[in-house]
Amino acid sequence: QVQLQESGGGSVQAGGSTRLTCIVSGYRGSSNCIGWIRQAPGKEREGVAAIYTGGGSLSYTDSVKGRFTISKDNTKNTVYLQMNNLKPEDTAMYYCTADFVFSGGTCFLFVPDFASWGQGTQVTVSS
């Protein structure tokens, strides 16, 4: 069973930066897409960024392009999300998941109903 442990985040002022970390354990499959989803109060869950573990292809939702960077360290089974130039609308609970849909090495920023994720980490951006 895959286990995902998120950390990082916290309270940040607009324009600031923070980094999220996701440690993945128990994964036994082949290449997949792992990354981050977020959910703000009263809003639907949103795929933010994903990376294809078999080749490093990256996917970002439009609102974070140029500000967020996803990366991975295979030696540590860890995925990072560097978040720069944060905006109040980035405020949400961020979850790491290894269940992003993918095809041909490209990650799509949505997850199936059976997707699992960690306990989440809160990012709050104040103006």
Side-chain angles (χ1 to χ4, degrees), residues 6 12 16 19 67 97 99 114 123:
E6 304 99 333
V12 184
R19 188 176 77 163
R67 300 189 298 120
T97 178
D99 290 323
F114 60 78
V123 175

Side-chain angles (χ1 to χ4, degrees), residues 9-82:
S11 296
V12 184
Q13 289 205 335
S17 300
T18 193
R19 188 176 77 163
L20 306 185
T21 299
C22 174
I23 301 174
V24 184
S25 59
Y27 189 77
R28 295 289 181 265
S30 57
S31 299
N32 67 328
C33 283
I34 185 169
W36 301 86
I37 56 176
R38 67 185 178 186
Q39 189 161 24
K43 295 188 177 181
E44 292 189 356
R45 188 176 59 207
E46 175 188 29
V48 177
I51 184 167
Y52 181 61
T53 61
S57 175
L58 311 177
S59 298
Y60 298 96
T61 192
D62 287 345
S63 63
V64 309
K65 286 179 180 177
R67 300 189 298 120
F68 292 9
T69 302
I70 189 169
S71 61
K72 60 182 175 70
D73 184 337
N74 291 335
T75 65
K76 298 180 180 179
N77 293 325
T78 300
V79 175
Y80 305 99
L81 185 67
Q82 178 65 42

